[in-house]
């Protein structure tokens, strides 16, 4: 039998049993959709981690107050940052910052909204790799004079004024006090020292203490190691230096690399769990195809006997049933890809980043076809081994 005739038989059998094909492929539909979503969520997670930490200097080390054994709160200061710069080798720069929540009014806002307000020094922007869309970052003079000036994150500028251009040099009210918008950051989509720049209003360090927080703050000191390879030794030296100033106090000391590794590990764990689920779904779908093919072989025993009687070889019978299994899986794979496309907007509603790709669609189709072919082999093999006389006499 020619290959074209085998394909014609496969087409006739599948087209005459459309509903059966769809029901048979449901497991593959679920598996293909799952594998495509797994790849998309995994890719999205990796990109999210990369974006989340793209503005962190690789040599950055954050130090914050953790606890004091005598129940006396410790507040880190400028002097602590300066001492670290002076006494810890291999540190190129240091800054200190804190954050609080305050009401914001002005621009297009009808009512006050609450945003994170961060008190920072002039070098915070450089250390955190913050880019300006318009204007300039805070200066040392702004801090010394406790000026009421602010720098807006891109999301804040858009929400309050509609755009960075409209926000620049405009007036914003923070806790009912007027601040001049000295600039707007470029969109960052990331986190620096526990602060998300897009959603934050930056003001001079001393200005915030005077008008918003008072002295009730928990600052974070950020130091930059000269060499990325020396981060661990810098962290150890920082801890030793702080123990001399605060012997009964524990501090949280973390570096950008550790944060990225932790976030990446969490993302990889989620991806592995999703892959495990996809494998289970595929196995269940494959078993479903195998069971249906066994029934099909039983139902079409006479047909197989006729094909063998007119000269079809075992190889041709095997190929026909394998092609039927593969085509059924392909249908399931295509439907699975379409299902993944339909489900994506729903998944994104839960703040999960999904990055669909052509490669993901192709891989999900391949997995579907391979699964169907593997599980369809044994029924096809059984069909090819039927004895013609026995098959023709089968009721």
């Amino acid at each position: 039998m020619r290959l074209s005739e085998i394909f014609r038989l496969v087409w006739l059998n599948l087209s005459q049993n459309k509903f059966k094909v769809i029901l048979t492929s449901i497991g593959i539909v679920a598996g293909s959709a799952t594998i495509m979503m797994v790849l998309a969520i995994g890719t999205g997670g990796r990109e999210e981690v990369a974006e989340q930490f793209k503005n962190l200097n690789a040599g950055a080390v954050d130090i914050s107050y953790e606890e004091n054994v005598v129940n006396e709160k410790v507040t880190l200061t400028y002097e602590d940052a300066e001492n670290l710069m002076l006494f810890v080798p291999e540190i190129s720069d240091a800054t200190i910052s804190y954050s609080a929540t305050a009401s914001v009014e002005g621009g297009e806002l009808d009512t006050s909204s609450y945003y994170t307000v961060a008190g920072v020094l002039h070098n915070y922007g450089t250390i955190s790799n913050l880019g300006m869309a318009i204007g300039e970052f805070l200066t040392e003079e702004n801090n010394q004079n406790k000026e009421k000036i602010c720098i807006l994150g891109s999301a804040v500028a858009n929400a309050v004024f509609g755009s960075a251009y409209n926000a620049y040099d405009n007036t914003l009210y923070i806790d009912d006090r007027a601040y001049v918008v000295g600039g707007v950051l470029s969109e960052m989509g990331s986190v620096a020292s526990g602060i998300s720049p897009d959603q934050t209003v930056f003001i001079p360090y001393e200005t915030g203490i005077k008008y918003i927080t008072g002295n009730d703050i928990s600052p974070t000191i950020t130091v930059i190691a000269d060499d990325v390879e020396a981060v661990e030794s810098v962290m150890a030296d920082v801890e030793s230096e702080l123990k001399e100033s605060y012997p009964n106090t524990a501090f949280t000391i973390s570096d950008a690399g550790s944060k990225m590794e932790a976030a990446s590990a969490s993302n990889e764990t989620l991806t592995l769990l999703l892959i495990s689920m996809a494998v289970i779904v595929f196995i269940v779908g494959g078993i479903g195809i195998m069971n249906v093919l066994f029934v099909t072989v039983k139902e079409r025993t006479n047909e197989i006997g006729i094909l063998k009687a007119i000269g079809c070889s075992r190889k041709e019978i095997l190929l026909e049933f394998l092609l039927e299994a593969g085509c059924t899986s392909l249908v399931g794979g295509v439907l699975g890809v379409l299902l993944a496309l339909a489900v994506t907007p729903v998944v994104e509603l839960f703040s999960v980043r999904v990055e669909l790709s052509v490669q993901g669609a192709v891989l999900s189709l391949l997995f579907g076809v391979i699964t169907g072919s593997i599980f369809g082999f044994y029924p096809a093999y059984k069909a090819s081994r039927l004895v013609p006389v026995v098959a023709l006499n089968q009721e």
Side-chain angles (χ1 to χ4, degrees), residues 133-180:
I134 188 170
E136 296 181 355
F137 201 71
L138 302 171
T139 65
E140 191 170 0
E141 289 74 21
N142 294 150
N143 187 59
Q144 289 174 349
N145 299 328
K146 302 178 183 178
E147 296 175 15
K148 290 195 284 293
I149 185 172
C150 63
I151 304 298
L152 304 185
S154 62
V156 179
N158 290 330
V160 179
F161 295 102
S163 69
Y165 178 80
N166 292 335
Y168 179 60
D169 209 25
N170 215 318
T171 301
L172 186 75
Y173 292 86
I174 304 174
D175 281 355
D176 299 323
R177 290 186 176 88
Y179 289 73
V180 175

Side-chain angles (χ1 to χ4, degrees), residues 11 15 21 26 42 60 102 108 124 142 153 159 161 168 179 186 232 250 264 268 299 350 357 378 389:
W11 169 253
S15 61
V21 169
I26 284 178
E108 299 176 358
Y124 180 88
N142 294 150
F161 295 102
Y168 179 60
Y179 289 73
S186 302
E232 289 189 10
S264 297
E268 288 170 5
E299 291 173 346
F350 295 93
S357 64
Y378 187 62
V389 175

Side-chain angles (χ1 to χ4, degrees), residues 48 50-52 54-55 128-134 151-158 163-164 183-191 196-200 202 353:
E48 188 73 26
E51 283 194 11
Q52 185 180 8
K54 71 181 179 182
N55 68 319
S128 298
N129 295 326
L130 301 180
M132 300 297 299
I134 188 170
I151 304 298
L152 304 185
S154 62
V156 179
N158 290 330
S163 69
V184 178
L185 298 177
S186 302
E187 185 176 353
M188 301 301 298
S190 51
V191 175
S196 178
D198 291 347
Q199 302 287 342
T200 301
F202 295 90
R353 181 164 178 170

